[in-house]
Amino acid sequence: MIWETIKLALQAIRRNLMRSFLTTLGVVIGVAAVITMVTLGQGSTHKITQDIAKLGTNLLVLRPGQAVGPGGVQDVARQLEIADADAIRREIAGTRAVAPAATRAATAIANGKNWSTNVTGAETTYLTAREWPVAEGRAFNDGELRAGRSVCLIGKTIQREVFGGGDVIGQSMRVGKISCEIVGVLAEKGESAFGQDQDDLVVIPLRTFHRRVAGNTDVGYIYIAVDSQHSTAKTLKAVELLMRERRRIGAGDQDDFFVRDMKEITATLTGTYMVLTGLLSAVAAISLLVGGIGIMNIMLVSVTERTREIGTRLAIGALAGQVLTQFLIEAVVLSLFGGLIGVGLGLGLSWLLASAIKVPMTIDLSVIALAFGFSAAVGVIFGYFPARKAARLDPIEALRHE
C-alpha cells in the first residue's frame, strides 16, 4: 500500500516537472550555502592553526612596548637587552629555548640581483625556538656566534629569487652594508597566518648584527619556547613578573613590554572564524526555511488544483490517512531531491572557493548529514498542513469543485 502511495506521489511530481524543480530551489540553495559556509570556515580555521604552528609550538614572544593592540608597540618603550634573555634562561623554569633577536629591513645583493628583504640577528636558539631546521648546509657554530663572523643563513625565497634556486653554500652575498658567507639554507615555512612570507629573510649572528647592522645592542624581541611538560600560561606570568622586576616597574604602573602566547592568538583567531562561520551558516539556514515555505505554497496550490482527483479517491474508498500520506510524501520527496542536489552543489562550490582562496577543504560528514536531514524535516513540517487539508476534504464537495 505504501509503495502505491509513493508511486502516486512520484507521478504527480513528474506531471509538473519544471514547477517541482523550481519549488526545490530554495532547499537547494539553503543546503548548498550551509555546506559551503561551514566547509570554508573549517578550512580557514585549519589553515590559521597550521600557519601559527609554523612559528613554533608552546611559544611565547616578548617585545618592548605596551600591549595597546595589534602592532601597537610604543616608540618610547625601553628596548630589551641580551641580559633579559640570560635572566629568563637562568630564572624561569621549563623553557626549552630562549632566543633574543632583532630585525632590520635590508637589500640582499648577489649575482647582479637586488632583493628587498629582512635581516635578522639571532643565536642558534632562534632555530630551536621557531622549530626551523636547516635544509642545506649547517647552522652557526659557537665560534662564529662569539666572534661575530660574517656568515648567514638564508630562506628559500632568497635562494630562489637571488640565486635562481641553485647551490648557495659557500657563496658570498651582500646584505645592506656587509658581505656574508652563506653557510646554510633554512627549510621552507611558507606564509604566516598574517600573510607574511617567512622564507624571505637572512639570518646572521646576533653579535654581527649589533656591530655591523644596528650599531647598538638592542634586542627587538625574545622568543621563549616552553617545554611541553610546562604550562605556557604559568611561564608567561613568570616572565611578566621577572620583566617587571628587571625594568623596575612599580605596583600599579602599566607594563612597558608585552608577552604574547601563540596559543592565545590561535584561539582568538579560530574563535573569531568559528563565530563568523556560525553566523553565515545561520543566515544560510534561513533560506532553507524560505524553501520550506515555497514547498508548502506549491503543495497548497496542488491540493486546490487536484480537488476533484482527491474527491474521486475518497469516493471510491481511499482513506483520509492515505491521501494525507500521498501529499506528505510528495513534499518530502521534493525536499529530499532539493537536499541531494544541494549537497552536490555545496561540495562543488566548496572545492572551487577553497581552491581560489587557498584553504584546505575539510569535509565534515556530520554537517552534510545535518543539512540533508534538516531539508527532510522541512518537507515533513511544511508538507503536513497542505496534506492535512487534502485529507479533510469532503468527497461530495470535492467532486462538485470546478
Side-chain angles (χ1 to χ4, degrees):
M1 183 62 70
I2 187 67
W3 175 240
E4 290 298 323
T5 307
I6 293 174
K7 285 173 63 177
L8 286 172
L10 293 175
Q11 287 171 1
I13 292 173
R14 278 201 300 267
R15 279 202 300 269
N16 296 289
L17 204 55
M18 179 56 71
R19 188 173 73 177
S20 300
F21 173 73
L22 294 175
T23 303
T24 62
L25 271 184
V27 176
V28 171
I29 294 171
V31 171
V34 168
I35 292 174
T36 304
M37 291 297 104
V38 173
T39 302
L40 292 181
Q42 290 182 340
S44 300
T45 302
H46 185 63
K47 184 174 187 303
I48 287 172
T49 305
Q50 281 184 326
D51 288 346
I52 293 181
K54 290 176 183 174
L55 295 174
T57 54
N58 291 343
L59 186 66
L60 304 177
V61 182
L62 169 63
R63 288 176 178 269
Q66 290 175 314
V68 295
V73 178
Q74 293 189 348
D75 292 334
V76 296
R78 186 155 59 92
Q79 293 295 306
L80 300 171
E81 302 169 349
I82 292 179
D84 293 326
D86 294 336
I88 293 171
R89 287 193 192 101
R90 186 175 57 250
E91 299 185 28
I92 304 295
T95 58
R96 182 165 45 87
V98 178
T103 296
R104 291 281 179 89
T107 301
I109 305 171
N111 293 333
K113 296 180 180 177
N114 296 346
W115 184 257
S116 295
T117 185
N118 291 314
V119 57
T120 296
E123 301 171 349
T124 50
T125 49
Y126 174 80
L127 305 181
T128 306
R130 296 284 313 274
E131 298 179 354
W132 206 340
V134 177
E136 302 173 33
R138 59 173 177 82
F140 305 135
N141 59 42
D142 291 340
E144 291 167 342
L145 290 172
R146 282 196 299 271
R149 285 197 56 198
S150 296
V151 291
C152 57
L153 303 168
I154 64 173
K156 283 289 185 180
T157 299
I158 302 292
Q159 184 184 30
R160 182 176 61 251
E161 298 295 339
V162 179
F163 296 95
D167 184 19
V168 296
I169 305 302
Q171 295 195 41
S172 294
M173 180 178 68
R174 191 163 189 80
V175 183
K177 296 179 180 180
I178 69 170
S179 178
C180 64
E181 176 190 353
I182 301 172
V183 296
V185 179
L186 298 171
E188 188 165 6
K189 280 246 180 184
E191 286 190 354
S192 70
F194 310 102
Q196 182 183 9
D197 182 2
Q198 299 182 87
D199 302 310
D200 187 5
L201 87 166
V202 177
V203 182
I204 62 177
L206 184 58
R207 181 162 292 183
T208 309
F209 182 90
H210 284 157
R211 287 178 179 172
R212 306 187 61 181
V213 177
N216 56 51
T217 58
D218 291 342
V219 171
Y221 42 91
I222 298 175
Y223 287 106
I224 305 162
V226 181
D227 191 273
S228 59
Q229 304 298 320
H230 288 74
S231 164
T232 54
K234 290 182 179 177
T235 304
L236 185 150
K237 191 65 180 175
V239 170
E240 286 180 340
L241 291 173
L242 176 63
M243 291 306 299
R244 285 183 66 85
E245 181 182 342
R246 288 185 56 80
R247 295 167 84 87
R248 302 180 188 282
I249 299 173
D253 292 341
Q254 192 173 8
D255 293 343
D256 62 353
F257 64 91
F258 61 90
V259 188
R260 289 278 187 252
D261 186 345
M262 303 313 292
K263 283 183 179 176
E264 290 182 0
I265 296 176
T266 304
T268 301
L269 290 175
T270 54
T272 302
Y273 265 85
M274 291 304 292
V275 169
L276 289 175
T277 301
L279 287 174
L280 291 173
S281 301
V283 172
I286 291 174
S287 62
L288 269 175
L289 294 178
V290 174
I293 294 171
I295 288 176
M296 183 168 67
N297 183 45
I298 292 299
M299 292 305 298
L300 287 171
V301 171
S302 180
V303 169
T304 303
E305 289 177 346
R306 295 156 60 189
T307 300
R308 288 180 64 84
E309 173 193 331
I310 297 168
T312 303
R313 288 200 65 201
L314 292 171
I316 61 175
L319 300 175
Q322 293 172 334
V323 175
L324 185 143
T325 304
Q326 177 189 343
F327 279 86
L328 196 57
I329 286 176
E330 283 187 36
V332 172
V333 167
L334 286 173
S335 295
L336 290 179
F337 275 142
L340 282 174
I341 298 171
V343 168
L345 183 63
L347 291 176
L349 282 174
S350 299
W351 180 77
L352 283 174
L353 293 175
S355 302
I357 62 177
K358 296 180 180 177
V359 299
M361 182 172 170
T362 54
I363 297 175
D364 190 338
L365 294 179
S366 63
V367 173
I368 294 175
L370 182 63
F372 186 70
F374 192 65
S375 69
V378 163
V380 173
I381 294 170
F382 290 95
Y384 175 75
F385 297 101
R388 190 179 65 170
K389 179 182 177 183
R392 288 184 173 183
L393 285 177
D394 184 335
I396 297 175
E397 293 297 326
L399 288 172
R400 288 176 179 171
H401 183 77
E402 294 295 335

